[in-house]
């Protein structure tokens, strides 16, 4: 089997390292930050969307962001790309491999490995229905009589789909939808095929592989079929291969689950290079809606540093909704309900998941993050812009690599027409911008789009120069005695720079004692965001509503 794995990952014409990479902090730096986007988030009806994306990146984000995650850019049949019908082609409605290559020449590129399931209308499943080898054993089958009560589901649709094959009636496993048929990794040929697909992506300039929905990879009847040991074993194998690859390859796992389950995908430093920091979106949203950062602080205080050779990916907004499962055990139920009701008040939606007892529970909130922060628990006010910028600045300040959804960078409003037109809640956060109209908005400094783009880009450009913001730089959560201010202390790997990152999550000006920061008196201190000198001997520091401060020693 080992020789088959090696041949799949290193076909003729490729080479591997003699020794695996030593675990360290050199795969990323403070210069790294990421844009998350669909290949067709920007359109004009005349040019290839990937060409427009390339122009947008070079025109507006060059020097601010280093990486781009292009969500599934393959031919597909549903779920906005996550029901892939051909893993080896670029969706011709977006462009072709040459367009992907062009973007990868200027930005670190992340692609999706949608390895849990494929489209029911794709070649693989059609071959399965016809009994053609090897695809006749590619899909996970079960029986309606099996005990499936404990299976963890992110959806409310029936788990099994009845299909007619050349071998008779079968029931195939569908974790997500009946157009997304789960693969059977008990068959080694499935794994080998995905190793070949990873190689194809790498050969086309991809440096970061996102393992989509990987927690559901291995199934066992009578079990929850999530986070099973075999899933972790497959990730360890992929990590080993990536560490022996001549190219730089980073594995990122997408596991929208509570904290302990999510952290398990670091393994012992031998699984994912990076994991999403999924509790951040609901916790940051709650802090800024409530004006109270206590739950964010408590959670952050209990977060371990990433293992050597690993990192967190920090974000608030993504193509999916704001997941509520990661808030389990962190936000009290009454606080979660306040967030849900406030999102509903601004026109957001709530998607549910099925529970083993037959009930339902909120799975995610469907809204743009920009619109979600248009009001607080107390109602609307005049601080929308400042509150939103504060939310994104927290992402920039924490240990890890910051990532920003394109609709956060562009202050996109909820797309209610998209929900009606496409018949799915998540369409509210998947607007497609007309490029000429967007360029016009970005050229007017008074528009929300121009203001948010300017402020976030400016802070990212400041951030990339600070060693204390290396993804693995030391971090301590600071207790400032006032829950309206969320603060962390960062120190560079060489210990030369310290940054006290302070974020007022409330509508009130807040004064904190300077002694709480323990600024060294014989050093000069400056707020990097305003250029204001900070007196280490002062009694107090006052922070305006939703203001952020990056107080650094002068180097």
């Amino acid at each position: 089997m080992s020789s088959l794995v090696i041949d799949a990952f290193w076909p003729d014409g490729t080479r591997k390292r003699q020794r695996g990479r030593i675990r360290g902090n050199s795969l990323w730096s403070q210069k790294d930050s990421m844009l998350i986007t669909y290949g067709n988030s920007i359109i004009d009806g005349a040019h290839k969307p990937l060409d427009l994306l390339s122009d947008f990146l070079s025109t507006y984000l060059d020097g601010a962001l280093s990486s781009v995650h292009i969500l599934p850019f393959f031919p597909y049949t549903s779920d906005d790309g996550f029901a892939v019908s051909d893993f080896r082609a670029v969706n011709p409605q977006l462009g072709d491999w040459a367009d992907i290559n062009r973007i990868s020449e200027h930005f670190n590129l992340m692609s999706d490995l949608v390895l849990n399931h494929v489209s029911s209308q794709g070649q693989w499943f059609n071959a399965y229905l016809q009994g053609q080898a090897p695809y006749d054993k590619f899909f996970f089958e079960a029986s309606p009589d099996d005990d499936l009560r404990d299976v963890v589901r992110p959806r409310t649709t029936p788990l099994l789909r009845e299909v007619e094959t050349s071998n008779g009636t079968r029931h195939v496993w569908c974790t997500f939808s009946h157009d997304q048929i789960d693969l059977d990794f008990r068959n080694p040929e499935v794994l080998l095929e995905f190793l070949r697909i990873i190689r194809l992506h790498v050969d086309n300039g991809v440096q970061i592989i996102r393992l989509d929905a990987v927690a559901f990879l291995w199934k066992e009847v009578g079990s929850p079929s999530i986070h099973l040991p075999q899933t972790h074993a497959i990730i360890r194998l992929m990590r080993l291969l990536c560490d022996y690859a001549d190219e730089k390859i980073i594995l990122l796992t997408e596991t929208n689950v509570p904290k302990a389950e999510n952290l398990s995908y670091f393994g012992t430093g031998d699984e994912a290079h990076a994991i999403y920091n999924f509790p951040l979106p609901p916790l940051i949203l709650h802090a800024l809606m409530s004006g109270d950062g206590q739950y964010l602080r408590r959670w952050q205080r209990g977060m371990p540093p990433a293992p050597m050779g690993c990192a967190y990916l920090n974000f608030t907004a993504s193509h999916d909704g704001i997941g509520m499962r990661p808030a389990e055990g962190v936000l009290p139920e009454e606080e979660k309900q306040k967030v849900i009701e406030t999102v509903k008040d601004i026109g957001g939606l709530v998607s549910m998941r099925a529970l083993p007892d037959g009930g339902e529970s909120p799975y995610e909130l469907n809204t743009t993050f920009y619109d979600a922060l248009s009001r607080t628990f107390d109602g609307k006010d005049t601080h929308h812009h400042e509150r939103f910028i504060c939310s994104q600045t927290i992402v920039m300040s924490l240990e890890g690599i910051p990532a920003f959804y394109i609709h956060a960078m562009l202050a996109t409003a909820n797309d209610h027409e998209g929900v009606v037109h496409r018949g799915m809640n998540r369409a509210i956060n998947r607007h497609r911008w007309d490029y000429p109209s967007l360029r016009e908005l970005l050229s007017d400094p008074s528009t929300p789009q121009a203001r948010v783009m300017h402020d976030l880009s400016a802070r990212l450009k400041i951030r990339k120069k600070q060693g204390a913001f290396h993804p693995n730089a030391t971090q301590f959560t600071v207790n400032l005695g006032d829950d309206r201010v969320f603060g962390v202390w960062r120190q560079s790997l060489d210990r030369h720079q310290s940054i006290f990152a302070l974020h007022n999550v409330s509508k009130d000006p807040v004064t904190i004692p300077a002694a709480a920061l323990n600024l060294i008196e014989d050093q000069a201190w400056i707020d990097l965001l305003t250029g204001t000198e900070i007196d280490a001997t002062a009694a107090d520091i006052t922070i305006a509503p939703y203001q952020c401060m990056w107080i650094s020693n002068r180097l």
Side-chain angles (χ1 to χ4, degrees):
M1 181 64 185
S2 60
S3 61
L4 294 176
V5 168
I6 292 172
D7 289 344
F9 201 75
W10 286 287
D12 291 342
T14 59
R15 63 180 187 179
K16 61 180 181 292
R17 297 166 59 94
Q18 293 301 308
R19 287 181 289 183
R21 285 185 175 82
I22 297 174
R23 296 178 195 172
N25 301 319
S26 61
L27 288 175
W28 39 69
S29 76
Q30 63 272 17
K31 296 179 181 179
D32 287 310
S33 53
M34 180 181 291
L35 181 77
I36 305 166
T37 181
Y38 279 100
N40 61 353
S41 291
I42 298 173
I43 57 177
D44 68 357
H47 299 88
K48 291 185 291 186
L50 287 175
D51 272 349
L52 298 180
L53 176 60
S54 180
D55 183 80
F56 172 77
L57 290 168
S58 61
T59 302
Y60 296 102
L61 293 173
D62 187 32
L65 292 167
S66 64
S67 307
V68 58
H69 171 200
I70 305 178
L71 289 150
F73 47 77
F74 319 104
Y76 72 98
T77 54
S78 66
D79 199 18
D80 277 351
F82 286 92
V84 178
S85 57
D86 186 350
F87 287 97
R88 296 184 171 276
V90 174
N91 183 350
Q93 296 180 356
L94 301 179
D96 52 33
W97 280 115
D99 301 308
I100 295 294
N101 298 157
R102 194 175 305 114
I103 292 173
S104 72
E105 290 173 0
H106 303 285
F107 294 86
N108 298 325
L109 180 60
M110 180 158 82
S111 69
D112 280 284
L113 194 68
V114 187
L115 73 174
N116 180 70
H117 50 261
V118 299
S119 168
S120 67
Q121 303 168 59
Q123 176 188 351
W124 290 8
F125 194 64
N126 283 328
Y128 161 82
L129 294 176
Q130 296 168 28
Q132 297 177 9
Y135 305 106
D136 57 334
K137 293 180 172 45
F138 258 44
F139 296 92
F140 197 94
E141 300 174 350
S143 166
D145 297 327
D146 289 333
D147 182 3
L148 304 175
R149 291 172 297 176
D150 293 334
V151 174
V152 174
R153 299 290 312 288
R155 300 289 187 272
T156 58
T157 53
L159 175 63
L160 300 183
R161 173 185 170 184
E162 181 178 303
V163 295
E164 295 299 326
T165 77
S166 61
N167 296 315
T169 301
R170 296 289 186 269
H171 292 85
V172 290
W173 193 288
C174 304
T175 297
F176 290 88
S177 80
H178 281 190
D179 188 39
Q180 294 163 294
I181 314 298
D182 284 34
L183 291 155
D184 189 352
F185 276 82
R186 295 174 301 181
N187 178 1
E189 288 299 323
V190 175
L191 174 61
L192 293 173
E193 184 59 24
F194 275 103
L195 296 182
R196 297 182 191 104
I197 292 167
I198 292 176
R199 169 52 56 187
L200 173 68
H201 289 202
V202 171
D203 288 347
N204 279 281
V206 172
Q207 292 186 319
I208 310 167
I209 302 290
R210 177 182 183 268
L211 302 182
D212 176 68
V214 69
F216 302 98
L217 188 70
W218 197 274
K219 291 91 175 154
E220 285 185 359
V221 171
S223 81
S225 294
I226 186 172
H227 312 312
L228 294 184
Q230 295 90 338
T231 293
H232 288 279
I234 288 173
I235 297 172
R236 283 195 298 274
L237 171 62
M238 290 182 172
R239 168 66 181 265
L240 181 65
L241 296 174
C242 290
D243 284 349
Y244 270 89
D246 194 48
E247 307 87 352
K248 181 176 82 171
I249 308 175
I250 295 171
L251 279 185
L252 171 71
T253 51
E254 186 266 331
T255 51
N256 191 357
V257 292
K259 170 185 167 182
E261 299 168 44
N262 192 34
L263 289 173
S264 72
Y265 286 86
F266 279 141
T268 57
D270 59 352
E271 292 189 30
H273 292 95
I275 65 172
Y276 282 87
N277 222 338
F278 275 111
L280 274 180
L283 288 176
I284 290 178
L285 185 63
H286 174 272
L288 286 156
M289 282 183 169
S290 66
D292 183 350
Q294 65 169 306
Y295 299 108
L296 176 62
R297 175 174 54 80
R298 288 178 189 173
W299 166 79
Q300 185 59 69
R301 188 173 59 195
M303 284 293 287
M308 181 66 73
C310 300
Y312 294 107
L313 188 77
N314 298 324
F315 72 110
T316 58
S318 74
H319 64 291
D320 289 338
I322 299 166
M324 295 307 291
R325 282 210 67 205
E328 293 175 8
V330 182
L331 276 181
E333 286 302 316
E334 61 269 23
E335 295 299 320
K336 283 197 287 186
Q337 196 57 43
K338 289 179 185 177
V339 172
I340 291 170
E341 293 304 319
T342 304
V343 167
K344 287 181 178 179
D345 288 344
I346 55 92
L349 305 170
V350 181
S351 293
M352 310 298 285
R353 70 182 181 97
L355 298 176
D357 63 4
E360 295 183 354
S361 175
Y363 178 69
E364 66 180 18
L365 307 180
N366 300 112
T367 175
T368 68
F369 214 81
Y370 181 77
D371 260 13
L373 287 175
S374 62
R375 59 165 296 167
T376 68
F377 291 166
D378 295 330
K380 289 185 176 292
D381 56 26
T382 60
H383 296 298
H384 184 190
H385 177 80
E386 293 77 13
R387 188 161 48 242
F388 179 73
I389 296 300
C390 178
S391 74
Q392 304 307 296
T393 306
I394 293 173
V395 169
M396 298 183 204
S397 302
L398 296 175
E399 175 195 344
I401 302 165
F404 306 88
Y405 188 36
I406 189 169
H407 294 306
M409 294 294 296
L410 294 176
T412 306
N414 284 335
D415 188 349
H416 296 287
E417 290 184 7
V419 174
V420 174
H421 178 69
R422 301 167 69 189
M424 56 186 293
N425 284 359
R426 286 179 168 178
I428 200 171
N429 190 31
R430 298 178 180 179
H431 180 69
R432 291 170 184 163
W433 278 102
D434 173 68
Y435 199 27
S437 300
L438 176 61
R439 290 176 67 95
E440 185 175 348
L441 289 169
L442 291 173
S443 68
D444 180 353
S446 67
T447 65
Q449 288 69 37
R451 294 179 67 200
V452 167
M453 175 69 78
H454 173 272
D455 289 356
L456 295 184
S457 296
R459 292 191 177 188
L460 284 166
K461 289 176 181 178
I462 293 170
R463 182 189 183 278
K464 67 188 295 185
K465 298 177 182 178
Q466 316 307 321
F469 283 143
H470 185 285
N472 300 113
T474 298
Q475 174 175 290
F476 286 108
T477 307
V478 181
N479 189 351
L480 299 168
D482 193 317
D483 287 332
R484 293 172 294 178
V485 180
F486 172 68
V488 293
W489 172 66
R490 306 294 309 279
Q491 186 181 58
S492 59
L493 296 173
D494 61 11
R495 304 181 70 179
H496 288 167
Q497 184 184 30
S498 287
I499 294 178
F500 292 89
L502 310 179
H503 317 84
N504 184 351
V505 299
S506 78
K507 61 184 178 182
D508 309 312
V510 179
T511 298
I512 62 171
L517 300 183
N518 194 29
L519 300 178
I520 299 173
E521 292 188 8
D522 60 357
Q523 290 189 351
W525 296 86
I526 185 174
D527 176 14
L528 297 171
L529 296 178
T530 62
T532 304
E533 297 281 349
I534 304 297
D535 184 358
T537 64
D540 300 309
I541 295 174
T542 299
I543 311 174
Y546 303 108
Q547 180 185 0
C548 302
M549 302 178 75
W550 286 344
I551 300 175
S552 171
N553 57 322
R554 282 193 179 276
L555 300 180

